[in-house]
Amino acid sequence: MSSKMQSLPTAANINARFPRLLESLPIIVGLLVLFVPTLYSLLTGIWSSDEQAHGPIVLSIAVWLMYRKWDEMLVASEGKAGSTWGWIPLVFGLLLYILGRSQEILLFEVGSSLWLLAGVLLLLRGPAALKAYWFPLFFMLFMIPLPGPMVDALTLPMKTAVSFVAEHVLYWVGYPIARTGVMLQIGQYSLLVADACAGLHTLFTLEALGLLYLNIVRHDSTFRNIMLALLIVPISFTANVIRVMVLTLITYHFGDAAGQGFLHGFAGMVLFASALMLIIGVDSLLRFGAPDAGKNDGRAVTGETA
């Protein structure tokens, strides 16, 4: 019983784990007051749609990344004073939030969170803390809703390209398929390639998945990291093609009800599973082009936590 009681967290070890927590409490409360209403609006609004369903996932991963890098940030900024330069992103972020919230511009309202967090880090812990947290803040870019006209302008050519490749692959293996724009005709069924299947938001989600993998694995080979980062785009496109083909084949073999029902959601899982397998497969192939893996400029790599 006594050993269990000793393992309970105390005020001393909580303060050691999260230094300056009490001093930062007003800032934390202020950020919650600002963004809890925003988060509620997103969860009950745009994030509940198929096209923006990646938003809460990206936010959850970003929060996990911040927690994961907390100790690294504390070590990097230990004994260093905060920077008054933090007032610039902080004030800019507040102005951006006010404009976005009052005018209902989600791009500004959600995007202001990055500027505010960057400003707080600079003010409290200095540039070293901001450098340690650069990837979680960058990762949050993928949750910011983009303007509708921009999404529409970029989504149409992407859907056309995905439809074109899916049609030719299925025709090559012997299926009776034809295409008109983004409409696929297979047998007696007509399928419209929707934004959720091959749109810009889907590409962003897969890009975020690839960059997350790259950050967690963190190879020592610069060549391997750069090549994998560049190949994330074609990998994401290929995964979209695979999803469209899977939905097309489900509809052709099991009917329209199956294609639009549970198996439609299953195709979404196929999308992410195929993207992850492609990333791992390409990463394994790149290992042969990076003989210096496990080393950094000929020196042994110290154990750094990603």
Side-chain angles (χ1 to χ4, degrees):
M1 176 64 70
S2 60
S3 61
K4 290 184 179 180
M5 292 297 293
Q6 292 175 356
S7 64
L8 293 175
T10 64
N13 56 39
I14 289 178
N15 187 54
R17 179 72 177 87
F18 299 101
R20 303 184 185 178
L21 181 61
L22 292 179
E23 294 86 340
S24 306
L25 192 59
I27 298 175
I28 296 173
V29 172
L31 292 174
L32 290 176
V33 169
L34 288 177
F35 289 105
V36 165
T38 300
L39 185 60
Y40 177 79
S41 300
L42 290 170
L43 289 172
T44 57
I46 194 171
W47 279 2
S48 61
S49 64
D50 290 339
E51 291 81 4
Q52 296 279 356
H54 65 281
I57 300 174
V58 172
L59 177 60
S60 301
I61 294 175
V63 173
W64 173 75
L65 287 170
M66 289 180 182
Y67 173 79
R68 189 169 182 259
K69 289 182 173 291
W70 180 266
D71 290 331
E72 179 183 335
M73 182 272 292
L74 293 181
V75 172
S77 59
E78 182 66 30
K80 299 178 182 178
S83 173
T84 55
W85 287 101
W87 285 109
I88 296 177
L90 185 66
V91 172
F92 179 76
L94 285 173
L95 294 175
L96 203 63
Y97 175 85
I98 293 172
L99 178 61
R101 185 70 178 174
S102 61
Q103 303 301 315
E104 298 184 352
I105 305 175
L106 286 176
L107 176 65
F108 292 167
E109 184 179 352
V110 180
S112 66
S113 60
L114 278 70
W115 293 97
L116 289 172
L117 289 173
V120 168
L121 283 171
L122 279 173
L123 285 171
L124 295 182
R125 306 293 297 188
L130 182 60
K131 183 179 179 181
Y133 263 5
W134 78 268
F135 184 77
L137 293 176
F138 172 77
F139 194 79
M140 289 175 66
L141 286 172
F142 291 95
M143 75 175 188
I144 300 176
L146 297 176
M150 178 188 298
V151 173
D152 294 339
L154 296 176
T155 293
L156 181 58
M158 287 177 52
K159 291 194 300 181
T160 303
V162 169
S163 305
F164 176 85
V165 175
E167 176 211 4
H168 281 73
V169 171
L170 292 177
Y171 181 80
W172 180 72
V173 297
Y175 281 93
I177 187 170
R179 179 182 61 89
T180 302
V182 295
M183 181 76 70
L184 294 175
Q185 179 74 38
I186 183 166
Q188 71 270 35
Y189 300 106
S190 295
L191 297 93
L192 175 66
V193 179
D195 293 354
C197 294
L200 183 64
H201 296 301
T202 305
L203 181 63
F204 270 16
T205 307
L206 297 178
E207 289 288 316
L209 175 66
L211 292 174
L212 177 64
Y213 172 86
L214 190 61
N215 181 259
I216 291 177
V217 174
R218 190 177 290 185
H219 296 302
D220 302 313
S221 168
T222 303
F223 167 81
R224 194 170 175 183
N225 286 327
I226 293 176
M227 288 302 299
L228 188 58
L230 293 175
L231 290 171
I232 287 175
V233 174
I235 288 173
S236 302
F237 179 82
T238 303
N240 269 315
V241 172
I242 292 174
R243 180 185 185 181
V244 170
M245 289 195 301
V246 167
L247 280 174
T248 303
L249 292 176
I250 288 174
T251 302
Y252 179 71
H253 289 288
F254 301 102
D256 185 66
Q260 299 302 318
F262 166 77
L263 293 179
H264 188 280
F266 173 75
M269 292 186 285
V270 169
L271 170 72
F272 292 102
S274 58
L276 184 59
M277 288 189 292
L278 285 170
I279 291 171
I280 295 174
V282 170
D283 188 27
S284 301
L285 292 175
L286 288 174
R287 179 177 55 188
F288 297 103
D292 58 339
K295 297 182 179 180
N296 187 6
D297 297 330
R299 299 186 297 272
V301 178
T302 57
E304 180 184 2
T305 303

